[in-house]
Amino acid sequence: MSDLVYPPVIAAAKLMFRVLDLRITVQGAHHVPREGGAVLASNHVSYLDFIFAGYGARPSGRLTRFMAKHEIFANKVAGPLMRGMHHIPVDRSAGQASYQQALSALRDGEVVGIFPEATISRSFTVKEIKSGANRLAHEAGVPLVPVALWGTQRLWTKGRKKDLTQRHVPVTILIGEPFEASPGDSGDALLRERLQELLDTAQRDYPTEPGAWWAPRHLGGTAPTPEEAARLDARRPG
């Protein structure tokens, strides 16, 4: 697969990291297999998460093909970049085509990135997850690699204006041990458990400010509770 677009996009992302002087910590990068297919399943707290989850796979020399809303591909600027990086558009009204494209990529030895919560978590805890990550990894016979991202919500998240003027923001990318996918409710529950465990670890070791809007309520922040977040999502989905 030709990758003429991905390298300059990575270079631009690294430039952004340097300009903002982000304090990026990557742990567990060795868990991303250096060859063969794998599903990278990440929690979702920011519109920029695909950049950081993909960055976590780079030490293993892998380029991640993310599944993303098809509306992004319709954007005049983002669309050509997304297609050039061979990301996979997801049209919820025709999900089977996206599933088959992702399955084909996995069987071709690609790393496919998925945000199994489907949408950004306003509560900054792990929401109920969709079954696609487990089903894809199981059918393709590839490992499922859980990823926790934390700190990215401070740059741009749902319900708040993006703020790319902040400097020195700590960002944690925590990659867990791969495990065998198991489709069905028990497999989805296990993936959610692994994601929440990783996120708990990332949050525990992160410098949190009392009353911070970007911290979950159970850690003293002012983010919506999961119940409040669900009500917000019902009124303002997307």
Side-chain angles (χ1 to χ4, degrees):
M1 184 180 292
S2 175
D3 276 302
L4 299 177
V5 175
Y6 224 135
V9 171
I10 292 172
K14 288 182 176 179
L15 177 61
M16 179 188 77
F17 298 163
R18 288 196 297 271
V19 169
L20 297 179
D21 195 22
L22 299 180
R23 307 298 200 227
I24 301 176
T25 301
V26 181
Q27 298 179 40
H30 62 283
H31 288 314
V32 179
R34 290 188 172 272
E35 58 184 24
V39 171
L40 219 62
S42 174
N43 72 311
H44 202 7
V45 293
S46 168
Y47 291 110
L48 303 175
D49 283 342
F50 72 98
I51 296 174
F52 292 94
Y55 183 75
R58 290 303 298 141
S60 291
R62 305 309 300 270
L63 297 174
T64 305
R65 318 300 176 178
F66 284 96
M67 302 186 76
K69 293 190 298 184
H70 74 98
E71 289 88 350
I72 301 174
F73 292 78
N75 183 278
K76 292 181 179 179
V77 176
L81 293 175
M82 296 292 283
R83 286 186 288 274
M85 289 184 282
H86 306 291
H87 294 317
I88 300 167
V90 177
D91 184 345
R92 292 175 184 172
S93 65
Q96 189 59 28
S98 305
Y99 182 91
Q100 290 300 324
Q101 187 176 345
L103 185 61
S104 177
L106 290 168
R107 287 173 171 166
D108 286 343
E110 299 284 351
V111 174
V112 171
I114 299 178
F115 298 102
E117 296 166 279
T119 59
I120 289 173
S121 171
R122 298 177 190 262
S123 67
F124 307 136
T125 60
V126 180
K127 300 169 59 174
E128 293 297 324
I129 66 171
K130 307 298 183 183
S131 62
N134 254 303
R135 290 191 296 116
L136 274 170
H138 178 75
E139 189 169 349
V142 302
L144 193 54
V145 183
V147 180
L149 303 174
W150 189 240
T152 59
Q153 76 279 11
R154 297 175 64 177
L155 302 173
W156 189 14
T157 193
K158 185 183 288 187
R160 299 188 71 91
K161 292 181 179 180
K162 64 181 173 182
D163 185 358
L164 299 182
T165 64
Q166 297 184 75
R167 292 173 56 80
H168 320 306
V169 172
V171 171
T172 302
I173 305 167
L174 188 53
I175 303 171
E177 186 174 349
F179 63 98
E180 185 176 347
S182 175
D185 291 344
S186 61
D188 293 340
L190 176 59
L191 174 57
R192 184 169 185 255
E193 179 183 315
R194 294 286 182 92
L195 289 173
Q196 188 62 62
E197 287 174 352
L198 288 171
L199 183 58
D200 287 343
T201 298
Q203 291 173 336
R204 184 190 65 222
D205 298 336
Y206 193 90
T208 300
E209 304 166 7
W213 67 262
W214 45 263
R217 195 73 63 86
H218 70 275
L219 292 179
T222 59
T225 65
E227 295 75 20
E228 291 168 346
R231 290 193 289 271
L232 286 169
D233 283 340
R235 292 200 298 267
R236 297 194 294 271

